[in-house]
Amino acid sequence: MTIETVTGYCWPQSVASGGSIGLHLSSAGGRPVNVEIARVGAQRTVVWAGTIEAADHPTPRDADSNGCGWPVATTITPGDDWVSGYYEVLLTIDVDGKTRQSHAFLVVRPSADSKNTILLQLATNTWHAYNDFAGRNLYNGGTHASLQRPMARGYLSKPPGAGRRVTTTNPPDRDMNAHVGYIRMNHLSGWAGSAGWPDWEQPFLAWAERNGYGIDVITNVDLDEHPGIIDNYRLLLSVGHDEYWSSPMRDTVEGFIARGGNVAFFSGNTALWQVRMEDRIDGTASVMVGYKGQFKNDPVYDTDRIAELTSIWSDHLIGRPENHMTGVSFTRGGYHRIGKRVTNGAGGYTVFRPDHWMFEGTELDYGDVLGAATTTVGYECDGCEYTTVDGLPVPTGADGTPESFEILGMVPAAHFTRTTAGRPPKPHEPSEIEFLASRVFDDRSEAAVKRIAAGQAMLGSYTSPGGGTVITSGSTDWAHGLAGRDRQIEQITSNILDRLG
């Protein structure tokens, strides 16, 4: 039975001071919509509220790739007092005395005279890759993800409850019953545990603002379309699950690092896939293209544009592994505390180099475990090829990891195989680890698969020749250490923000 409700989206999704955004709505039965817009950080601050007339519009069959095409119900023009940040757009209608609600979002980009020195880019490309509003996403056959459609339930708001995190916090749970039960009970998208605002960025920003850090906010696409914005900052942040990066995004960030800019990747599975932003409207991309496992269908395949192929960045055909930027890669990591992969893992890092400045004030020593009490390591993890010297892990650099990268702590992670995947591949399809081996080594033999079978989540750091410092947590779940008030995770995060920001 279809539930009568209201849905909507903002276009464009980010705006600078003096700009405007259209709010596109579809309301069941053409009911008026109560709209409340609030900036969400340490506090939820309402900046606008009103009632909007809206019609009931059908969702096109191809909305997942070509957008909904709904008309603008109202135009939002942020005031000068709307500081940079994530803004929740709460939509409410009354259906026979019952309240129906959904959410949209917009981002206010920082003003040119912002005094903040830290910039957070929201992982909005990953949100859109998983968004299955209208049916398809990049995980169930889609290759084009429209940005002009609502977000499915669970990507912008989640109720509390056991199983809210996709990471298992009370192992063992080999079938992920807690998370699957939570998703079903709350009628959320089946992919909502893997992406979205409430999972990682929201708790990180809440912690940072409570502790006095001023942080400006942009979207992934802003790094693509407004590359100069990063030059006003000392420190760029990537938080949570930041999986999908375009070539212009990488150009922007790698140039920033080369010029001495600092980046903290409090994220995992970071920049695994290349995407292309296309179908621009007034200069703003409206579609994200990602062929992924269908890369041979990508129009740039086997052409002189092969460097733009929407496969993994570590694909031998592209030759630009994400290690060059982050120091690590999902291809050498995998999963931790997810279903049948490292089911009973520690949930924290074993510390190898406690003398690093990052650990000042933590009292951590060699061999101590960091972050386990709050399961700070979980879900998707990144590592690099390494060897051991005098018992300590040292990168080989063979996979593109910078020479100066130091492995400060790590814990095992592993990829999905044909028998351990929560969503098993079809008989004619490769397993995840077979696919990764085939793209990295051009070989998915048993020997090639074995080379990446024993992964790690790595906490580490390197310094570029230009003086830029890069930190990586090597896991999506660092923000949960902050949300859980883990004293050592809080201290390390403060050390990083204070020194680099």
Side-chain angles (χ1 to χ4, degrees), residues 125-366:
N125 284 357
T126 304
W127 306 0
H128 294 305
Y130 282 91
N131 182 22
D132 57 349
F133 181 90
R136 292 189 303 173
N137 61 19
L138 299 192
Y139 290 82
N140 60 12
T143 58
H144 291 64
S146 174
L147 280 58
Q148 293 186 306
R149 56 177 170 148
M151 300 296 296
R153 284 177 54 85
Y155 293 102
L156 302 181
S157 178
K158 284 181 177 172
R164 187 177 188 271
R165 287 178 64 179
V166 67
T167 300
T168 299
T169 55
N170 293 293
D173 187 0
R174 289 173 59 83
D175 296 318
M176 299 184 67
N177 291 318
H179 179 66
V180 172
Y182 168 86
I183 290 289
R184 291 175 177 171
M185 180 178 67
N186 291 291
H187 308 289
L188 307 181
S189 163
W191 307 93
S194 297
W197 161 251
D199 290 330
W200 296 285
E201 289 105 329
Q202 190 277 328
F204 186 95
L205 267 178
W207 176 88
E209 292 188 358
R210 280 198 309 268
N211 285 275
Y213 294 101
I215 297 179
D216 289 336
V217 179
I218 59 172
T219 68
N220 279 154
V221 177
D222 290 323
L223 281 180
D224 186 305
E225 297 175 347
H226 306 284
I229 200 169
I230 199 173
D231 293 331
N232 297 325
Y233 298 88
R234 294 193 67 239
L235 175 63
L236 175 71
L237 302 178
S238 162
V239 174
H241 192 188
D242 200 2
E243 184 175 2
Y244 293 85
W245 283 56
S246 67
S247 181
M249 286 175 61
R250 285 197 61 178
D251 292 343
T252 296
V253 174
E254 289 173 14
F256 178 68
I257 295 168
R259 295 189 301 273
N262 306 312
V263 181
F265 293 101
F266 294 116
S267 55
N269 196 214
T270 306
L272 175 66
W273 295 98
Q274 175 165 219
V275 290
R276 294 193 304 274
M277 308 310 297
E278 297 185 349
D279 295 353
R280 298 185 186 274
I281 300 172
D282 296 328
T284 300
S286 64
V287 173
M288 184 176 73
V289 179
Y291 281 83
K292 301 184 65 175
Q294 305 175 62
F295 64 89
K296 290 185 179 179
N297 296 328
D298 191 330
V300 307
Y301 179 71
D302 204 21
T303 72
D304 59 3
R305 295 176 58 197
I306 193 68
E308 300 174 49
L309 186 71
T310 55
S311 179
I312 63 172
W313 277 108
S314 290
D315 195 309
H316 65 94
L317 295 176
I318 298 173
R320 192 181 177 184
E322 60 271 32
N323 309 56
H324 291 172
M325 177 177 70
T326 64
V328 289
S329 168
F330 181 73
T331 62
R332 301 287 179 167
Y335 303 89
H336 189 89
R337 291 263 196 109
I338 291 292
K340 298 178 180 67
R341 297 283 73 187
V342 198
T343 304
N344 289 299
Y349 310 88
T350 297
V351 174
F352 286 95
R353 291 179 169 85
D355 293 334
H356 192 274
W357 61 260
M358 189 190 303
F359 297 126
E360 291 177 2
T362 64
E363 300 181 349
L364 286 164
D365 204 350
Y366 173 82

Side-chain angles (χ1 to χ4, degrees), residues 117-118 204 207-213 215 234-235 237 264 266 357-362 370 471 478 481-482 485-501:
T117 59
I118 303 174
F204 186 95
W207 176 88
E209 292 188 358
R210 280 198 309 268
N211 285 275
Y213 294 101
I215 297 179
R234 294 193 67 239
L235 175 63
L237 302 178
F266 294 116
W357 61 260
M358 189 190 303
F359 297 126
E360 291 177 2
T362 64
L370 166 66
I471 303 292
W478 185 270
L482 299 175
R485 299 297 181 90
D486 184 302
R487 183 188 67 80
Q488 292 171 330
I489 296 295
E490 289 184 297
Q491 182 64 59
I492 292 169
T493 308
S494 292
N495 291 345
I496 293 168
L497 300 187
D498 291 342
R499 184 184 182 105
L500 304 182

